Amino acid sequence: MSFDDEIRRNYRDELLGEATYRTLSRGERNERMRRLLHEIAEAEAGHAELWSQMAAARGVALKGLGFLDELKVRSLSVLRRVVGLAVTVKILEAGEEEDMEKYYGLLRDQRFTEEERDVLKRILEDEVVHEELLTSEEFKVENVRDAVYGVSDGLIEVLAAVSGLAGFISAPQLVALGGLIVGLSGTLSMSVGAYLSTKSERETAEAERRKAEMQSVLDRDALQERVKQQLVDRGLDPAKAARASRELRDVAEDVVAPQDPGDPLRSAGVTAASYVVGAMVPVLAFLLGLGGLVGLVTSYVVTGMATMVVGSLIGVVSEVNPLRKGAEMSAMALGAALATHVVGLLAQTYLHVAI
């Protein structure tokens, strides 16, 4: 890529960032979240203007956003309505991390003048702040994570159960009943586990918050140093981390010890409801009266597709490749189901158990 094309690409990337965050801010009802998204959009617009000035100084002609860029913005807006702001922001967070790496590399590009590298340093500092904002408690994904993991567990566990039962039970209604019983048991155990886990996390977070608030009163410089260390631990250069920590000084407590890590009852409720949703998918074919090989294959196909979607969402919130995670979970779900089906067939053959 030529140097002129590099400038055009970076200018367009900042325009795309501005359009994305501005669109998300317009559709956000929460006032604080809307303001944060708007602030990031304004910063991205400022970055685009800086690239425009560099392009003008070098005589590089620039173009605005194209059709595919506009389509990407609209797609993210639709995604926000489907999966919520937290998952959408998680995707954008990955983009901010890529921007940080990009600008860090550009700082070493000798084709830029010293003045231009100073501009790039300011943009990098902004990107660090943006990444911190997107990982803050305002955009937490705990409830989303509870939901997708609950659905995932329901899909995998109940598919394995009905697959095993189908190995020696010919009546589809009985297979469905067995799957529903397993689903009820799983719902209770998962919701209790989610409640206890979230309650423990909340107690720990509240203790850390009290320490951060006391440190804020007694020694705010030390608290700022903790913010700096967090940024260094993320891989940021110490000098840049020091500058960014000064930008975050007024919200240092929120960075090192976020408030409200989650409501245990809400976490239990979300987990239970999502587990039920996942559990219903594998038994649906048998509830509709499909038995034998037809019912089993239908359950496998539908559950495999659902697991692929849920696995992709887990990949997003866990910051791993979504398609790989989806394929991995689908393979595990179907593998577990086949293994239990073999157990059911063995029970029928050697124990003479058949219903």
Side-chain angles (χ1 to χ4, degrees), residues 159-343:
L159 176 63
V162 296
S163 181
L165 293 172
F168 63 92
I169 298 177
S170 59
Q173 292 80 8
L174 293 179
V175 174
L177 178 60
L180 292 175
I181 292 173
V182 171
L184 176 60
S185 174
T187 299
L188 294 174
S189 63
M190 288 288 294
S191 58
V192 170
Y195 175 84
L196 294 176
S197 175
T198 306
K199 187 173 184 292
S200 177
E201 291 176 2
R202 184 169 192 166
E203 291 169 348
T204 301
E206 287 174 350
E208 287 297 321
R209 180 70 182 190
R210 286 193 295 271
K211 293 178 184 178
E213 289 174 346
M214 287 188 290
Q215 190 173 32
S216 175
V217 174
L218 299 174
D219 191 351
R220 195 158 190 85
D221 290 338
L223 188 61
Q224 181 181 325
E225 184 64 24
R226 289 179 62 185
V227 175
K228 172 189 170 183
Q229 189 58 48
Q230 283 194 6
L231 296 175
V232 171
D233 291 342
R234 288 173 178 263
L236 190 64
D237 178 80
K240 296 180 177 63
R243 288 193 292 270
S245 66
R246 288 194 292 271
E247 294 286 335
L248 296 167
R249 183 181 177 89
D250 293 337
V251 292
E253 303 98 301
D254 295 324
V255 175
V256 300
Q259 297 189 67
D260 189 19
D263 182 351
L265 288 176
R266 178 180 176 82
S267 179
V270 170
T271 301
S274 58
Y275 188 96
V276 169
V277 171
M280 289 300 297
V281 174
V283 303
L284 186 60
F286 299 100
L287 284 175
L288 294 176
L290 298 178
L293 184 61
V294 174
L296 193 62
V297 171
T298 302
S299 183
Y300 277 20
V301 171
V302 174
T303 306
M305 294 171 61
T307 307
M308 182 70 185
V309 173
V310 173
S312 297
L313 288 175
I314 290 177
V316 169
V317 300
S318 302
E319 299 182 7
V320 298
N321 185 289
L323 292 179
R324 185 172 68 244
K325 188 65 176 180
E328 176 187 298
M329 288 190 58
S330 293
M332 291 177 63
L334 295 177
L338 287 170
T340 54
H341 187 67
V342 169
V343 172

